[in-house]
Amino acid sequence: MKFFKQLGVSDETLKSLEDIGFETPTPIQEESIPLALERKDILGQAQTGTGKTGAFGIPIIETTEKQAGTQVLILTPTRELAVQVSEQLKTFAKYKKLGVSVIFGGMSIDRQIKDLKRKPEIIVGTPGRIIDHIKRRTLKLESIRTLVLDEADEMMNMGFIDDVKFIMSEMPSENRQTLLFSATMPPAIQELVTRFMKDPTIVKTMKQGGSDPQIEEHYTIVKELEKLEVFTDFLDVHQPELAIVFGRTKRRVDELTSALIAKGYRAEGLHGDITQSKRLEVLKKFRNNALDILVATDVAARGLDISGVTHVYNFDIPQDAESYTHRIGRTGRAGKEGVALTFVNPVEMDYLRMIENEKKKTISALRPPHKKEVQKSREKETFDKIEQWKSENTNTHTFEVAERLLEQGEAKEVVAALLNEFLFSRTDDSIQLSFEKPLTRKGGQRRGKGQGGGKKPFRKGRSQGQQGGGRNNKRQGGGGRPQQGSQKRQGGRTFKDHIK
Ligand code: AMP
C-alpha cells in the first residue's frame, strides 16, 4: 500500500485530502494518479464506490493552473453526479483555490453564462447543457486540456453518445488528455476510445467475475402477488442500515414507497418525475440517516454517490446484466460488505440465467424467511427500540402516568396492551401493489396472465380503522400516526403523543 505523497501528490492537495479523511489511496487511485500526473490517457473500468472521482479529480487539481482559463471539462450522465463530482473537486482544490462550476439543464442559463464568464478552471456538466453553451459560444473549448468522461456507459445508456462525440470532435485534440471511466465497456464506448483517445492505459479495479466480491449476491423466487409481503419479511430479518430498492416503473416506485410508509418503514422514492429540489432533499435525508430505504428506478439511481448502503433489493429483476451490475454496485462500496437480493418471478428465470452467464457468476438462491424468523427479528427490533426509548426518555410526566397505569392493572397486561397497540398492530396487510407484468419470456412468449385480467389497482383496503372503530383510527385520532415517509417506525412517538 502506498500513500498519496508517494504517488506525487503535492503538500497543498495532501492537506485538503487530510481534511476529508482520505488517508491512503484506493486501488484505482493508486494506479491512476501517477499516470494522470504524466498526462497519459486512461481508460478506467471502475464502478462508483471505488474512489474513481479521486482517481481523476486529484491529478486534475495538480495539473490545472490557476487563472489560465477553463482547462478541464468533466462530463457526467446525470445532474446529481455532476453536483457530487464538482463538490468533491472543490474539496480537493480547497487550498489551490481553483474555480469549479457545475452546468446542467434545468438551471438558469443566465446564471450559468455569468459563471462561465469568470472562466472557472474546471467545469463539470451534463452533455446536453454543455452543448447548449458551446453553440451559444458561452463556453469555448479552445483552452481545454483535459476531458473526463465519467460513467461513460451510463451516458450511452441515456442516449448521450452522439452529444459526447460532438463535444469531443469540437475540442482541440492536440495535447488533450482524455480520462474515460466506465463500469462496462460496450462496443459504442470502445469506438469512442479508438476514435478519440491516445494509447490509453487500462486501469481495472473490478475483479474477475464482473462485480465486486464484497457483495453477497442472492435471488429469491416469488410470485408477483406475494412480492410485497416477502420483501418486508426480508427487510425485517435483514434490518438494513441503508437500503436501495429498485422498481421497474415510476408507478411501481410510487406505490412501493407508499406501501412501505404505510407499513411503518422510513422510505422515500426517486424517479424521473420527481423535481430536482425534491431529489436533492431525499438524497440529503438518505445520507443523514433520516431515511432507511430509498426506492428508485434505474435512471433515478444512476451515478448516485451514496456510501453506507448495506442492501440492494431488485424488487423487479433488471432487464440485463449491465443494469444489474450498476444497481448492485450501489452497495459493497469503499471496502464495506454489501448484500444484493433479486426478486425473480418464476417466468423470469431466463433473465437471471442470462445475468449469471454474462457475469460468469452463480447467484445463490435464498428462500424467503420463515414467519417465525420474521417474528423473532421484529421482536428483537422491538426490544432494542424499547431500550433506546428508555435511555432517551427524560419526560418526568411519563413516569407519573406510568405509575398510575400500573396501579390500575398487572404490569404484564399493561405492557402487552401497549405493545399490541403501538407496535405489533402497525402492519397494514390490506395494501396491494398494481400488477406489474413480469419481463417477457426470452424467446418471445408472453405470460398469459396479467394482460389486463390480472390487473389490480393499488389500493388500501378498508381497514377497521377506516370504518370507525379500529386501531388505525384511534391512532390517527390521537394525532400520533405519522403520515410522511420520513418519520416512520417510531411507534414510541405515537405513545408519547398520546400521554402528553
Ligand atoms: P467514488 O467511487 O469516487 O464515488 O467514491 C466513493 C466514496 O469513497 C466517496 O464517498 C468518497 O468520498 C470515498 N473515497 C474515495 N477515495 C477515498 C480514499 N482514498 N479514502 C477514503 N475515502 C475515499
Side-chain angles (χ1 to χ4, degrees):
M1 187 185 63
K2 286 193 174 164
F3 290 98
F4 282 112
K5 198 171 174 60
Q6 292 166 279
L7 305 181
V9 177
S10 69
D11 287 343
E12 209 173 27
T13 307
L14 275 180
K15 211 165 142 219
S16 65
L17 296 180
E18 267 166 34
D19 286 355
I20 53 167
F22 282 25
E23 286 167 9
T24 51
T26 66
I28 193 160
Q29 290 165 358
E30 193 173 322
E31 266 194 78
S32 307
I33 292 173
L35 291 166
L37 286 175
E38 285 179 36
R39 298 201 44 80
K40 293 243 161 61
D41 278 9
I42 294 177
L43 181 56
Q45 194 162 354
Q47 293 170 297
T48 4
T50 52
K52 68 180 166 61
T53 318
F56 63 79
I58 297 167
I60 277 176
I61 300 303
E62 300 291 12
T63 54
T64 304
E65 279 175 53
K66 197 162 166 51
Q67 286 174 341
T70 300
Q71 299 148 67
V72 182
L73 177 63
I74 302 171
L75 295 178
T76 69
T78 62
R79 301 157 175 199
E80 280 92 9
L81 188 59
V83 172
Q84 285 159 19
V85 168
S86 68
E87 278 169 5
Q88 277 236 331
L89 265 90
K90 279 180 201 162
T91 58
F92 296 156
K94 181 172 165 193
Y95 298 102
K96 204 165 168 190
K97 297 197 172 66
L98 299 173
V100 182
S101 283
V102 60
I103 301 284
F104 53 74
M107 256 169 78
S108 144
I109 198 146
D110 292 334
R111 241 179 65 195
Q112 290 176 350
I113 292 172
K114 251 195 203 160
D115 224 22
L116 290 174
K117 273 197 181 139
R118 276 189 239 127
K119 301 227 176 306
E121 284 84 4
I122 301 167
I123 291 175
V124 190
T126 49
R129 187 50 76 91
I130 292 287
I131 290 187
D132 275 356
H133 284 287
I134 296 174
K135 290 189 172 157
R136 285 166 180 255
R137 303 281 303 148
T138 42
L139 170 63
K140 300 190 186 81
L141 301 175
E142 288 87 61
S143 54
I144 305 271
R145 299 170 62 239
T146 307
L147 172 71
V148 180
L149 303 181
D150 195 10
E151 303 205 349
D153 51 352
E154 286 299 339
M155 288 201 262
M156 183 198 77
N157 290 341
M158 293 176 79
F160 288 142
I161 199 83
D162 289 335
D163 289 353
V164 171
K165 280 185 197 160
F166 173 81
I167 296 169
M168 291 179 97
S169 55
E170 284 291 298
M171 85 183 12
S173 61
E174 219 176 295
N175 299 327
R176 184 185 72 210
Q177 179 185 32
T178 309
L179 309 172
L180 184 151
F181 289 81
S182 196
T184 56
M185 287 292 160
I189 302 296
Q190 284 165 19
E191 191 210 316
L192 275 189
V193 174
T194 350
R195 202 168 137 196
F196 294 104
M197 292 177 75
K198 281 174 251 142
D199 192 20
T201 307
I202 298 170
V203 176
K204 265 191 188 180
T205 55
M206 282 203 294
K207 313 286 181 303
Q208 286 195 337
S211 63
D212 196 320
Q214 300 280 0
I215 305 173
E216 230 182 80
E217 292 169 62
H218 302 286
Y219 75 91
T220 193
I221 296 185
V222 60
K223 290 191 196 117
E224 174 65 24
L225 289 176
E226 290 159 10
K227 262 188 183 178
L228 182 59
E229 191 185 339
V230 172
F231 175 49
T232 51
D233 284 353
F234 269 117
L235 280 179
D236 289 337
V237 171
H238 288 167
Q239 299 273 332
E241 269 171 52
L242 277 185
I244 298 189
V245 190
F246 286 95
R248 194 168 296 140
T249 60
K250 292 173 193 168
R251 180 186 68 178
R252 185 69 139 187
V253 166
D254 282 337
E255 291 188 4
L256 190 51
T257 309
S258 305
L260 289 172
I261 290 170
K263 282 173 177 284
Y265 300 90
R266 300 195 307 171
E268 292 248 25
L270 268 196
H271 58 60
D273 285 352
I274 284 167
T275 62
Q276 181 64 7
S277 60
K278 175 78 183 162
R279 282 164 90 98
L280 294 173
E281 182 196 314
V282 170
L283 292 175
K284 198 167 160 198
K285 271 199 210 163
F286 198 60
R287 288 201 185 95
N288 297 339
N289 283 329
L291 264 190
D292 300 321
I293 305 168
L294 185 67
V295 189
T297 55
D298 273 337
V299 175
R302 267 175 195 150
L304 293 183
D305 169 29
I306 299 172
S307 46
V309 175
T310 52
H311 292 70
V312 168
Y313 297 94
N314 289 318
F315 193 79
D316 298 311
I317 187 171
Q319 308 244 10
D320 51 47
E322 236 178 274
S323 158
Y324 178 86
T325 306
H326 274 287
R327 286 182 181 192
I328 71 163
R330 306 291 137 198
T331 184
R333 302 176 59 178
K336 294 208 186 95
E337 283 171 17
V339 174
L341 174 61
T342 302
F343 287 71
V344 189
N345 185 304
V347 300
E348 294 170 328
M349 276 308 283
D350 289 353
Y351 284 85
L352 186 83
R353 299 293 171 232
M354 175 194 72
I355 292 169
E356 287 185 322
N357 285 342
E358 282 194 33
K359 287 171 63 76
K360 297 189 180 52
K361 183 166 187 185
T362 312
I363 301 172
S364 61
L366 210 61
R367 60 160 176 74
H370 288 306
K371 285 293 167 200
K372 271 203 176 134
E373 282 174 83
V374 179
Q375 197 181 342
K376 239 171 107 186
S377 300
R378 284 185 184 151
E379 281 170 14
K380 183 177 176 306
E381 194 196 352
T382 304
F383 283 15
D384 292 347
K385 244 182 214 170
I386 292 173
E387 279 308 310
Q388 189 194 336
W389 295 337
K390 268 166 53 185
S391 67
E392 288 170 1
N393 185 13
T394 51
N395 181 351
T396 48
H397 179 57
T398 57
F399 290 91
E400 289 162 26
V401 179
E403 245 168 52
R404 290 210 302 276
L405 260 177
L406 290 173
E407 277 163 18
Q408 277 179 23
E410 286 281 321
K412 209 198 284 184
E413 275 173 26
V414 171
V415 174
L418 289 174
L419 285 177
N420 190 47
E421 186 68 9
F422 295 105
L423 293 167
F424 297 140
S425 65
R426 69 172 177 224
T427 313
D428 188 343
D429 291 326
S430 59
I431 298 165
Q432 286 186 4
L433 306 180
S434 298
F435 189 87
E436 184 75 29
K437 221 166 42 197
L439 291 180
T440 315
R441 257 189 214 284
K442 293 260 149 190
Q445 260 175 281
R446 272 182 184 273
R447 196 185 180 206
K449 229 174 119 187
Q451 299 289 328
K455 268 204 169 164
K456 281 210 175 77
F458 173 66
R459 65 182 164 82
K460 244 172 105 173
R462 277 171 70 80
S463 66
Q464 281 178 330
Q466 284 164 300
Q467 285 163 16
R471 292 181 180 120
N472 289 347
N473 206 27
K474 265 200 275 166
R475 276 183 171 190
Q476 282 166 351
R481 192 160 205 220
Q483 293 297 303
Q484 292 304 311
S486 51
Q487 332 156 352
K488 283 302 128 38
R489 293 222 120 186
Q490 297 181 351
R493 295 257 161 84
T494 320
F495 172 60
K496 282 178 187 168
D497 287 349
H498 270 262
I499 59 172
K500 249 177 205 163

